[in-house]
């Protein structure tokens, strides 16, 4: 075998030996790029912007006055602003080791070298991200609070509704169940057959009250009754009927 062929064979063997290393390096590079593109935005969103409380204001556990107060922040408190809701009305901030939400109109940020009230137009200009509020935020920051276990009572939004309906050989009917965001529920059902119609509904409030009602119409009369129980135990019963025209 000539020296030229031997040299070529050696270079080919070296190239084959380096291929796994090159593939590993390429994989690391691709992984780094993926981390940069996918997580770079998250890191940027998590970066806090400096702000100041315009006046003494409540730091709340969520973006609404319905949420409990975490603490009262004094006027001129130096805030770290992590982001604001989509409409820029409430912002996620921290102060003195506490995390929570404050109305954007009570926050000043530095814009063009001077303190400026945080508005929907100023927020993106100074680099404040849009952030979402969820039960994960609640879980992360409020385990030690006495109201921590009452998320369903405070949460603004949510709720659900399911409906079924149909007709068969014996008539038509429908039912619906609705759950409110604060723990209340309502179930209702009704139907008609051969001109006779009836229905029933049960409503339970989040604080223990409730109401049940039934009613219906036959060929000659319509009637109904309801029972209402307040959260403190008081009960009221109503009923009545009338002749069909």
């Amino acid at each position: 075998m000539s020296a030229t062929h031997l040299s070529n064979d050696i270079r080919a063997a070296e190239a084959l030996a380096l291929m796994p290393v090159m593939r590993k390096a390429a994989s690391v590079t691709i992984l780094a790029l993926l981390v940069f593109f996918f997580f770079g935005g998250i890191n940027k969103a998590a970066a806090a912007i400096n702000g100041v409380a315009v006046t003494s204001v409540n730091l709340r556990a969520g973006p609404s006055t319905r949420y409990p107060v975490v603490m009262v922040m004094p006027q001129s408190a130096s805030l770290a602003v992590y982001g604001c809701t989509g409409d820029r009305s409430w912002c996620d901030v921290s102060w003195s080791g506490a995390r929570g939400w404050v109305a954007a109109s009570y926050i000043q940020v530095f814009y063009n070298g001077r303190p400026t009230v945080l508005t929907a137009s100023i927020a993106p200009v100074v680099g404040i991200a849009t952030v979402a509020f969820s039960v994960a935020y609640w879980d992360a920051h409020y385990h030690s609070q006495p109201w921590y276990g009452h998320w369903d009572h405070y949460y603004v939004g949510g709720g659900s509704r399911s409906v079924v309906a149909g007709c068969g050989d014996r008539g038509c009917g429908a039912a619906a169940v609705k759950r409110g965001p604060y723990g209340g529920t309502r179930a209702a059902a009704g139907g008609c057959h051969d001109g006779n119609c009836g229905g029933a509904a049960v409503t339970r409030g989040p604080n223990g009250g409730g109401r049940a009602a039934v009613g219906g119409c036959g060929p000659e009369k319509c009637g109904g009754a309801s029972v209402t129980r307040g959260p403190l135990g008081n009960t009221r019963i109503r009923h009545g009927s009338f002749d069909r025209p």
Side-chain angles (χ1 to χ4, degrees):
M1 181 180 293
S2 67
T4 301
H5 287 107
L6 181 60
S7 177
N8 289 338
D9 290 343
I10 292 174
R11 283 196 293 269
E14 289 175 344
L16 289 172
L18 287 174
M19 284 181 68
V21 178
M22 294 171 66
R23 283 197 296 268
K24 183 177 180 180
S27 298
V28 171
T29 302
I30 292 170
L31 179 61
L33 289 172
L34 289 173
V35 169
F36 175 79
F37 284 113
F38 283 100
F39 294 101
I42 295 176
N43 291 335
K44 182 179 180 181
I49 302 297
N50 294 328
V52 176
V54 174
T55 186
S56 177
V57 62
N58 290 327
L59 180 69
R60 293 189 177 271
S64 166
T65 55
R66 284 193 56 92
Y67 290 98
V69 176
V70 179
M71 64 166 53
V72 179
M73 300 186 298
Q75 182 177 1
S76 301
S78 297
L79 312 177
V81 184
Y82 297 97
C84 299
T85 55
D87 61 0
R88 305 295 199 275
S89 60
W90 287 80
C91 298
D92 172 22
V93 306
S94 65
W95 177 77
S96 189
R99 188 78 173 260
W101 298 78
V102 64
S105 57
Y106 290 100
I107 301 173
Q108 285 184 335
V109 293
F110 288 94
Y111 175 63
N112 285 340
R114 58 188 178 87
T116 304
V117 173
L118 186 57
T119 63
S121 59
I122 293 295
V125 175
V126 297
I128 293 179
T130 299
V131 294
F133 175 67
S134 69
V135 69
Y137 183 99
W138 185 275
D139 289 340
H141 301 294
Y142 302 131
H143 273 284
S144 62
Q145 297 289 351
W147 32 260
Y148 166 72
H150 301 288
W151 162 264
D152 290 337
H153 174 73
Y154 292 109
Y155 177 52
V156 178
S160 63
R161 186 171 186 264
S162 57
V163 178
V164 293
C167 292
D169 295 338
R170 297 185 177 182
C172 296
V177 176
K178 183 178 181 180
R179 293 181 173 85
Y182 312 119
T185 60
R186 186 172 192 271
C192 291
H193 174 61
D194 291 339
N196 298 328
C197 296
V202 177
T203 302
R204 293 186 175 88
N207 298 318
R211 185 172 189 267
V214 293
C217 289
E220 298 181 359
K221 288 183 177 289
C222 292
S226 68
V227 178
T228 303
R229 292 187 175 90
L232 301 178
N234 53 311
T235 302
R236 183 175 61 184
I237 300 174
R238 290 183 175 182
H239 57 82
S241 64
F242 61 88
D243 294 333
R244 295 186 69 171

